[in-house]
Amino acid sequence: MDSPLAWRNLMKDLSILQFLEERVQQEPLFKQQLLNFVEQSKLDKKWRIAAANAITILVRANVQFNGADLRGIRIPKADLSYGVFDSAQLEGADLRQVDLRGAWLRKANLSKALMTGVQFGELPFLRHDSVVEMCVYSPDGTSIAVVLHGGKINVYSTSTWERLCVLNDHKARITDIMYSPDGNWIISGSFDTTVRLWDSRNGDCRLILRGHRGRVMRIAYSPCESQFASASTDETVKLWNAETGDCIHTLVGHTEAVGSVMYSPKGDQIASSSEDSSVRLWSVETAQCSHILRGHTDFVTTVVYSPQGDQVASASADKTLRLWSSATGECLQIMTGHGSEVGPIIYSPKGDQIASVGMNRELRLWDVDTGTCLHTLLGHTDEIKSIAYSSQGDLVASASDDYTVRLWDTETGICRQMLTGHSQKISGVVFSPISDQVASCSYDGTVRLWDVRTRTAYQVLGGHNGKVRMVNCSPKGDQIATCSEDTTVRLWDVESGTCRHVLRGHNSTVRCVVYSPHGDQIATGSGDMTIRLWNVKTGVCVRTLAGHSGVVFAVSYSPQGDRLASASEDTTLRLWDVHSGECLFILNHDEAVHSVAYAPNSNNIASCSLGKAVQLWDTETGINYTFAGHSNMISRIVYSPRGDQVASASDDETVRLWDVATGDCHHTLTGHEGGVISIAYSPNGEQIASTSEDLTVRIWHVETGACLQTLSGHSGVATRVVYSPQGDLLVTSAHDKSVRLWDTESGQCRATIQVFRYDITDIAWMETTDVNYLVAGCEDGSVWILETVNDGNLCHVRLCWSSGSNGLIVTEADIQDVQGLSQLNKQLLKQRGAVGEPVHRLRENIKKVASMASVVSKLKDQSDTTEEDPASTASASVELLEQWLEQARGPICQEIVAAIVKTIHEYK
């Protein structure tokens, strides 16, 4: 107990935690010591501080506790965020004030655990029957207004998620909504050409403002609260009296639809932007246009004032941002760099930064003074729809059509958190006024509220920050390489799950990763048009191969490992010398080349493009052959294990088997009723498996071309198929977020793995000395290792480790008789699939009241049977009862406890 871990809470000492985290990874004895601290806490509560520190350090070091016996551990205030505790036994554990945000607790046993004050990082979501188009917090953060498709607004309390009122008079889609500065009123604009003013407290519609002849696109409340403005497709801006609803002014001048309007911070000026490519500045008092800001060459999408009001920023479809002086109308900066239309833009709270969104999925942060781009934030895999700064300006949130919200550090540009849970496109994201919460709304009909307060720095993503594109296993079976849309490659230790190296250097999506035959080198191909060669041991890039003028889709090593073939969007196949980096040959195709494979035992290369033929290239003679026969695009090619045959899969619903020596098509495998997506030979080459858009998997006999099995069960298209090393099992992954293991002889499904929250993008099977591992990479950037064990007709699968825990998972977690769980947390866990009933707070308080009543009774009994001073007997009990009074929750319980305390005081 002499260790500082035993008496000092380290939760806020980030530097110490990081140091100890590194020691865990370097020193196995230290790791065991920390595990011993956790174990000791089961027996003696004096170890609870040491245990809380120890398990916090272990979780940060990516130690996973799948199936661990943690019954009765005492770890109050520990930080278990993003920890992995699937099937862990936590029965009776002391988890009070523990941080469990993003933790994986699938099938964990939490029964009878103490969970008062536990944090899950989010609150229960709100479910609606229609698309949620936007949401906005009240100025004090106590309520949130949610706009539904069709013109309905629901207002909720943010503390209880209770619906306070419904605003339901608009006749068409609502385009904008905002609270008045004092929070008492809500204004909304709609496609029905009206603006409406609502009482936010009871939902009454106070004013209906008519006058626009076109759709109302944006609205703005004056800081002075006396008026508000509306912008319309009728080419005008109207100013309205907030008390009477009278139209004070109509601002005329734009020649096309007005899409944006905003008051200056002082309320004396208005800025508007239009499809006529201009921005106009108006005097609120005179309604005169003081400046017309010209310079954009396409329509202006957004206009915003700086927090100080001295600048106006505008974004345009011409791919630029411009900064203007609000006093003179002078253009101060032109910011270029986006490759597409610039959409939402916002100033940081201090006004020193601007965040802007391009339609090409990139978010940029700009320095206002210099106009330079500080950071380009990449990671989203689909269009970004909404952005928001935190009140401190240290974070910017982005919501995307890829179903995720990301929180970015504005100083470093690093993604601090990825919030997952939505099942469809996200339409909006907002910070609460004090930035302790983020609300996101989605086409899936939900609003999700995320707790983004930090106790320590988030561990966040142990894995990739973007979709995993490919997984590959080292020849020795001790390591896995994964590449991702986050522009990185990661090398993982198979047994421990430790990320040994993060390979950085590419500046676009890494599309492919392969090991050299000896396993000492890795080759990667990227959207940045380069190939990089990396030293596996050091993680250093030893060579960059440049020459392609398009995305590199695939790479393949020769059997000797001295040459590398690459396939590119630029319609060429290139052959490189690995040692010198020299490009030896270029083979041209008619269209983009998306697949390439070296023969396993010769110098032949097979490739296919978006066309209908397979190209076979003899790299020694330079002669190439064309295998033609498909009637639609070829999706994939693979060599047989002996290298005497090439199989091609096509959108024409067939698989063809080609003789490498003669070019003859041995068999055309027909039967699928949709395009064939993936194919794989069995290890002995006697079978070939195929997956199709018809949702089936087929196993074929290579020699005869006969279909041996048709496998059905996936509810989504199976995109990958792999044989086990022994060939007795076939593994498929599909868009139904599942992996299935099939018996290749009987065709029976031996196991269905449904632990994934996102679609699986790639799978691989690897065999070590005595264990078979299944590797999976997912759209959310996570990497999974699962151990498979054959047991008769069943195949048991156990999760060994996974990276990138991006969200809370409590499916089938047992919360029976959990104590201290708040009603909101209970609702959250139930929504996420937890089972059992926790002890209700009222039941806990009733037990306390019963105990207090027992104390009173005993005191009275003692007074009847003894001549001692009853005051001395009651003193200790009174102190305890007063503590209970402070802890009592709810007015009824407080009233009961207070009455008992009062009775004892009177008795004294």
Side-chain angles (χ1 to χ4, degrees):
M1 295 294 287
D2 294 335
S3 169
L5 289 175
W7 50 266
R8 180 179 176 183
N9 189 314
L10 301 178
M11 298 306 136
K12 295 183 180 180
D13 291 328
L14 181 58
S15 59
I16 296 178
L17 287 175
Q18 289 175 333
F19 170 73
L20 296 176
E21 171 189 341
E22 293 170 1
R23 280 194 61 195
V24 169
Q25 297 168 347
Q26 296 166 2
E27 301 177 27
L29 288 177
F30 180 58
K31 174 182 174 181
Q32 188 57 51
Q33 182 185 10
L34 295 179
L35 291 171
N36 291 341
F37 285 169
V38 176
E39 193 69 20
Q40 287 291 334
S41 73
K42 296 179 180 179
L43 306 174
D44 191 338
K45 67 179 181 180
K46 70 182 180 182
W47 288 92
R48 59 188 177 187
I49 295 178
N53 286 326
I55 200 166
T56 296
I57 295 164
L58 290 167
V59 167
R60 288 179 59 88
N62 288 324
V63 175
Q64 301 190 4
F65 292 87
N66 295 311
D69 183 0
L70 302 174
R71 286 174 291 186
I73 63 169
R74 297 179 173 96
I75 52 169
K77 299 183 180 181
D79 186 353
L80 307 186
S81 54
Y82 303 96
V84 180
F85 296 87
D86 285 345
S87 300
Q89 298 299 309
L90 287 157
E91 184 178 0
D94 183 352
L95 305 177
R96 289 174 296 175
Q97 299 183 55
V98 167
D99 191 340
L100 286 170
R101 71 189 70 209
W104 287 4
L105 292 157
R106 187 187 294 104
K107 294 186 178 180
N109 184 358
L110 294 161
S111 60
K112 300 181 181 179
L114 304 177
M115 298 185 71
T116 304
V118 70
Q119 299 177 48
F120 291 107
E122 54 188 290
L123 294 178
F125 58 78
L126 296 172
R127 172 74 68 184
H128 302 88
D129 294 330
S130 63
V131 169
V132 183
E133 297 193 325
M134 67 187 77
C135 56
V136 59
Y137 276 98
S138 62
D140 61 4
T142 59
S143 67
I144 189 169
V146 176
V147 176
L148 305 180
H149 182 72
K152 182 178 177 181
I153 304 169
N154 287 342
V155 181
Y156 297 91
S157 164
T158 54
S159 61
T160 64
W161 272 145
E162 177 187 357
R163 187 166 67 181
L164 303 177
C165 56
V166 179
L167 321 179
N168 197 21
D169 283 345
H170 277 297
K171 308 304 179 186
R173 178 186 175 188
I174 296 171
T175 54
D176 203 7
I177 183 174
M178 67 185 306
Y179 278 87
S180 62
D182 63 8
N184 293 330
W185 307 98
I186 293 174
I187 54 171
S188 56
S190 168
F191 275 8
D192 65 10
T193 75
T194 69
V195 178
R196 294 174 187 254
L197 181 68
W198 314 81
D199 190 315
S200 64
R201 294 153 291 190
N202 55 33
D204 290 344
C205 182
R206 182 169 172 269
L207 295 171
I208 302 176
L209 312 179
R210 296 182 171 90
H212 281 298
R213 293 175 290 102
R215 296 172 173 176
V216 178
M217 302 304 295
R218 287 290 179 269
I219 51 177
Y221 224 114
S222 166
C224 307
E225 301 191 35
S226 59
Q227 63 176 229
F228 46 84
S230 56
S232 170
T233 57
D234 66 8
E235 304 174 4
T236 70
V237 175
K238 289 183 178 287
L239 308 187
W240 309 87
N241 185 297
E243 288 294 324
T244 65
D246 294 337
C247 180
I248 305 169
H249 297 294
T250 299
L251 311 182
V252 179
H254 285 295
T255 57
E256 292 190 45
V258 184
S260 184
V261 65
M262 188 177 185
Y263 280 91
S264 65
K266 293 180 180 179
D268 57 343
Q269 193 180 69
I270 282 179
S272 60
S273 67
S274 167
E275 292 182 8
D276 65 11
S277 305
S278 75
V279 175
R280 289 178 177 251
L281 304 182
W282 311 82
S283 167
V284 170
E285 184 178 358
T286 65
Q288 297 299 309
C289 178
S290 55
H291 299 289
I292 302 175
L293 313 183
R294 302 187 190 277
H296 286 297
T297 58
D298 208 333
F299 67 87
V300 183
T301 56
T302 315
V303 61
V304 292
Y305 276 95
S306 65
Q308 296 77 22
D310 58 332
Q311 284 182 358
V312 170
S314 58
S316 170
D318 67 8
K319 307 177 186 179
T320 71
L321 290 80
R322 288 178 178 252
L323 303 187
W324 315 82
S325 167
S326 60
T328 66
E330 177 188 359
C331 182
L332 306 174
Q333 300 281 0
I334 301 176
M335 301 173 176
T336 60
H338 280 293
S340 62
E341 173 186 326
V342 185
I345 57 171
I346 49 173
Y347 273 93
S348 64
K350 295 179 182 178
D352 57 339
Q353 251 186 27
I354 286 179
S356 63
V357 171
M359 296 299 104
N360 58 348
R361 303 180 296 184
E362 70 176 17
L363 171 61
R364 287 177 177 253
L365 302 182
W366 306 85
D367 184 279
V368 169
D369 291 333
T370 64
T372 57
C373 180
L374 300 172
H375 302 289
T376 300
L377 311 181
L378 300 174
H380 282 298
T381 58
D382 211 332
E383 185 178 337
I384 301 171
K385 288 294 180 63
S386 178
I387 53 175
Y389 269 101
S390 64
S391 57
Q392 296 83 14
D394 57 333
L395 293 175
V396 65
S398 57
S400 169
D401 283 351
D402 65 7
Y403 310 170
T404 70
V405 173
R406 289 176 181 257
L407 302 182
W408 308 85
D409 187 299
T410 56
E411 183 177 350
T412 64
I414 293 173
C415 179
R416 289 295 182 196
Q417 228 180 332
M418 183 166 73
L419 309 178
T420 62
H422 286 295
S423 59
Q424 292 188 42
K425 297 177 180 180
I426 301 178
S427 51
V429 63
V430 288
F431 275 97
S432 63
I434 60 173
S435 295
D436 60 333
Q437 294 174 343
V438 166
S440 58
C441 53
S442 167
Y443 288 19
D444 64 10
T446 67
V447 177
R448 290 180 181 264
L449 198 62
W450 314 88
D451 185 346
V452 294
R453 292 170 292 186
T454 58
R455 280 170 38 179
T456 63
Y458 283 113
Q459 181 183 338
V460 196
L461 303 177
H464 289 289
N465 290 343
K467 179 194 294 186
V468 174
R469 280 286 186 169
M470 183 180 285
V471 299
N472 222 315
C473 304
S474 67
K476 295 180 181 179
D478 59 340
Q479 194 180 77
I480 299 161
T482 58
C483 63
S484 167
E485 292 187 354
D486 68 4
T487 75
T488 71
V489 177
R490 291 176 183 257
L491 307 185
W492 309 87
D493 182 85
V494 169
E495 291 194 5
S496 68
T498 302
C499 182
R500 295 299 184 192
H501 296 292
V502 180
L503 313 183
R504 292 186 171 91
H506 287 296
N507 55 34
S508 184
T509 296
V510 185
R511 305 295 294 256
C512 53
V513 57
V514 294
Y515 280 90
S516 65
H518 305 297
D520 58 338
Q521 192 180 80
I522 278 177
T524 56
S526 169
D528 64 10
M529 303 182 287
T530 68
I531 299 119
R532 286 179 177 257
L533 306 181
W534 311 81
N535 182 294
V536 169
K537 187 175 182 180
T538 64
V540 173
C541 179
V542 296
R543 189 159 282 108
T544 301
L545 310 180
H548 282 297
S549 58
V551 174
V552 179
F553 290 121
V555 292
S556 179
Y557 276 98
S558 64
Q560 299 78 25
D562 58 338
R563 293 185 176 184
L564 186 77
S566 59
S568 171
E569 182 186 31
D570 65 9
T571 74
T572 69
L573 177 71
R574 289 176 179 252
L575 186 64
W576 310 83
D577 185 292
V578 168
H579 302 299
S580 67
E582 178 187 358
C583 180
L584 303 175
F585 297 106
I586 301 175
L587 180 66
N588 292 304
H589 290 65
D590 293 332
E591 298 185 64
V593 189
H594 61 80
S595 187
V596 61
Y598 246 106
N601 50 14
S602 72
N603 292 311
N604 289 341
I605 296 174
S607 61
C608 65
S609 67
L610 296 178
K612 305 170 185 177
V614 177
Q615 298 286 339
L616 190 69
W617 186 18
D618 187 323
T619 60
E620 293 299 319
T621 65
I623 299 174
N624 67 290
Y625 308 90
T626 301
F627 300 164
H630 284 294
S631 60
N632 208 332
M633 185 187 80
I634 297 173
S635 56
R636 198 170 185 86
I637 55 170
V638 291
Y639 269 99
S640 65
R642 292 190 298 271
D644 59 337
Q645 196 176 75
V646 169
S648 57
S650 170
D651 284 356
D652 66 8
E653 305 179 359
T654 70
V655 178
R656 287 179 178 255
L657 307 183
W658 308 89
D659 187 291
V660 169
T662 66
D664 294 337
C665 179
H666 279 176
H667 296 292
T668 301
L669 311 181
T670 60
H672 282 300
E673 297 178 356
V676 183
I677 296 172
S678 181
I679 51 176
Y681 277 97
S682 63
N684 60 15
E686 295 177 359
Q687 291 181 356
I688 190 168
S690 59
T691 69
S692 167
E693 292 175 348
D694 64 9
L695 306 188
T696 68
V697 181
R698 288 178 179 255
I699 300 176
W700 313 83
H701 191 271
V702 169
E703 186 175 346
T704 65
C707 180
L708 302 175
Q709 303 286 350
T710 300
L711 314 178
S712 299
H714 281 298
S715 59
V717 175
T719 56
R720 292 289 186 273
V721 60
V722 180
Y723 274 91
S724 67
Q726 297 82 14
D728 57 334
L729 291 176
L730 190 70
V731 185
T732 55
S733 63
H735 282 321
D736 58 9
K737 302 179 180 64
S738 77
V739 170
R740 287 178 177 256
L741 278 65
W742 311 85
D743 187 294
T744 56
E745 184 176 347
S746 67
Q748 292 182 339
C749 181
R750 299 276 297 278
T752 301
I753 307 170
Q754 295 177 306
V755 299
F756 310 99
R757 297 182 66 185
Y758 287 82
D759 281 338
I760 301 99
T761 53
D762 199 14
I763 54 175
W765 198 302
M766 61 188 301
E767 183 181 30
T768 60
T769 306
D770 53 1
V771 181
N772 284 331
Y773 291 110
L774 182 63
V775 187
C778 295
E779 280 195 346
D780 65 343
S782 62
V783 179
W784 302 66
I785 288 284
L786 303 112
E787 180 185 342
T788 63
V789 179
N790 281 325
D791 181 14
N793 293 327
L794 295 177
C795 185
H796 298 291
V797 180
R798 181 182 69 88
L799 175 63
C800 298
W801 59 263
S802 55
S803 74
S805 172
N806 298 327
L808 177 69
I809 304 179
V810 292
T811 310
E812 296 184 47
D814 185 355
I815 57 172
Q816 184 66 37
D817 292 332
V818 163
Q819 299 181 41
L821 199 63
S822 70
Q823 187 62 28
L824 283 177
N825 279 338
K826 173 189 172 182
Q827 187 180 345
L828 170 67
L829 297 184
K830 287 289 190 177
Q831 284 181 344
R832 294 299 184 89
V835 297
E837 283 298 322
V839 175
H840 196 278
R841 278 279 176 83
L842 183 58
R843 281 168 55 191
E844 294 179 40
N845 286 326
I846 287 173
K847 289 180 181 179
K848 286 185 178 180
V849 169
S851 297
M852 297 174 195
S854 175
V855 170
V856 173
S857 176
K858 288 179 181 179
L859 289 173
K860 289 186 175 179
D861 289 343
Q862 288 175 357
S863 68
D864 294 336
T865 58
T866 180
E867 296 181 359
E868 288 184 32
D869 182 4
S872 62
T873 307
S875 296
S877 298
V878 170
E879 182 179 351
L880 175 61
L881 289 170
E882 288 176 336
Q883 291 176 3
W884 283 344
L885 176 59
E886 293 177 1
Q887 297 170 1
R889 300 294 179 92
I892 296 176
C893 290
Q894 286 180 343
E895 185 176 343
I896 294 172
V897 177
I900 295 175
V901 173
K902 180 180 179 182
T903 300
I904 296 177
H905 272 295
E906 290 174 350
Y907 178 67
K908 285 175 63 179

